[in-house]
Amino acid sequence: MDSPNQSGPQRSWAKRLGILSAVLIPALLSGCTKEQIATGFFPVESKGATNHTEAYTALWNGAWIALLVVGLIVWGLILWAMVAYRRRKHDRGLPVQMRYSMPIEILFTVTPVVLVLGFFFQNVQVMEKTTDDRTPGEQVIEVAAKQWAWDFNYETENVYYAGTQVELDGTEKPEETAPVLYLPVDTDLEIRLHSRDVIHSFWVPAFLEKRDMIPGRDQSLHLRAEKEGEYVGKCAELCGEYHSEMLFNVKVVSKEEFQNYTQSLADQGNTGQLGPEYDRNWYPKEGAEK
């Protein structure tokens, strides 16, 4: 069959696509603030919140920028091929058939390998700084999750706070009555996570970290809070009927205010620790009744 006639104004279509892209991309980004873009659309208050947040943000921003560049190139090539090699009304027969292109084959093989290796090594470096952080804590605090509230044992200060369930009543800020976890600023913290009954999840969105809390499998979170302020926390695991009411607040305060707070707990008689005797499946000793 005859080869197709590929003549036509191809450059004008490429120019139109370029103009369209130049108009759409700024329009899409115009609704975003500089802070939102800088933090990768993570919570704005996460910037500088802990010694881990910058590493997470840099990894996330680098990842989506790299993938966006690759995506734009791929989408551009697809659109260009659709326009440049479209069938025209004067074309006859089938287009010229090509078996393969060695440069394209090499590009399609090398690019994914480079991306995967780059993401792998970046992830390893970030994990060493964050999830694998085992810096000894100047303050050790146990967070015990229970249906549907939180207990906080300030182990270093030997005092505790027993949380009660938040009751959602339709107000705009029900978290104002939620349990409060106090953390001293610029202090190495070891937050030990423990579940008293079912699977929960400790999540402070501004800290960009979340940890599952599985009964019988305690773990810890090591970090340094670097910015004073108030943050919202919640359980991120569906844990029962009142999961939505399992809220808490985090207050990062000065070391002096933290000492004053723990002393106020001692003055209230909240000395010692809320131990495993409050767990749902706790047994006083092996073989004894619950």
Side-chain angles (χ1 to χ4, degrees), residues 22-38:
V23 172
L24 288 178
I25 292 176
L28 291 173
L29 295 177
S30 62
C32 307
T33 65
K34 292 182 179 178
E35 291 79 10
Q36 289 175 320
I37 296 175

Side-chain angles (χ1 to χ4, degrees), residues 1-228:
M1 302 182 72
D2 296 333
S3 296
N5 179 9
Q6 296 295 337
S7 61
Q10 300 179 13
R11 293 185 179 181
S12 63
W13 279 100
K15 185 177 180 180
R16 293 175 187 175
L17 287 174
I19 294 174
L20 182 62
S21 300
V23 172
L24 288 178
I25 292 176
L28 291 173
L29 295 177
S30 62
C32 307
T33 65
K34 292 182 179 178
E35 291 79 10
Q36 289 175 320
I37 296 175
T39 56
F41 303 98
F42 285 144
V44 176
E45 60 271 19
S46 68
K47 186 175 182 180
T50 75
N51 60 325
H52 294 169
T53 54
E54 293 301 318
Y56 286 128
T57 302
L59 176 65
W60 171 248
N61 282 342
W64 72 258
I65 289 173
L67 295 177
L68 181 60
V69 170
V70 173
L72 289 174
I73 293 173
V74 173
W75 297 329
L77 290 173
I78 291 174
L79 293 174
W80 175 77
M82 291 170 61
V83 173
Y85 298 105
R86 73 190 188 282
R87 187 179 183 87
R88 294 166 173 82
K89 62 181 180 179
H90 298 298
D91 291 346
R92 293 177 299 168
L94 297 174
V96 176
Q97 304 298 301
M98 297 183 63
R99 294 175 58 190
Y100 61 87
S101 172
M102 186 59 69
I104 296 296
E105 295 288 342
I106 294 175
L107 177 65
F108 286 172
T109 302
V110 172
T111 302
V113 172
V114 172
L115 288 173
V116 170
L117 290 177
F119 289 145
F120 173 78
F121 287 110
Q122 288 296 320
N123 272 278
V124 169
Q125 291 179 359
V126 171
M127 288 180 66
E128 289 178 349
K129 298 177 183 178
T130 57
T131 57
D132 295 338
D133 186 357
R134 290 296 179 268
T135 304
E138 299 175 49
Q139 288 287 340
V140 178
I141 303 171
E142 182 189 47
V143 176
K146 59 187 181 182
Q147 290 180 316
W148 288 270
W150 307 83
D151 293 334
F152 305 130
N153 284 323
Y154 298 91
E155 296 187 8
T156 305
E157 305 300 325
N158 196 36
V159 293
Y160 68 86
Y161 172 89
T164 57
Q165 180 180 333
V166 176
E167 295 184 5
L168 298 179
D169 56 5
T171 59
E172 294 183 357
K173 294 184 177 181
E175 67 275 7
E176 291 181 352
T177 60
V180 181
L181 172 63
Y182 277 76
L183 301 177
V185 72
D186 293 328
T187 303
D188 289 325
L189 303 171
E190 179 181 349
I191 302 177
R192 297 177 178 174
L193 304 175
H194 172 74
S195 174
R196 298 200 184 280
D197 35 50
V198 299
I199 298 177
H200 298 282
S201 187
F202 178 84
W203 185 32
V204 182
F207 289 0
L208 305 184
E209 298 197 57
K210 180 172 63 175
R211 294 289 189 277
D212 285 341
M213 306 170 72
I214 301 174
R217 298 184 61 182
D218 295 352
Q219 59 175 323
S220 60
L221 173 63
H222 297 249
L223 54 81
R224 173 186 286 262
E226 297 185 336
K227 183 174 66 175
E228 293 186 27

Side-chain angles (χ1 to χ4, degrees), residues 250-261:
V250 177
K251 285 190 177 181
V252 179
V253 297
S254 65
K255 296 180 180 179
E256 180 181 0
E257 185 175 348
F258 177 78
Q259 291 298 329
N260 291 336
Y261 172 72

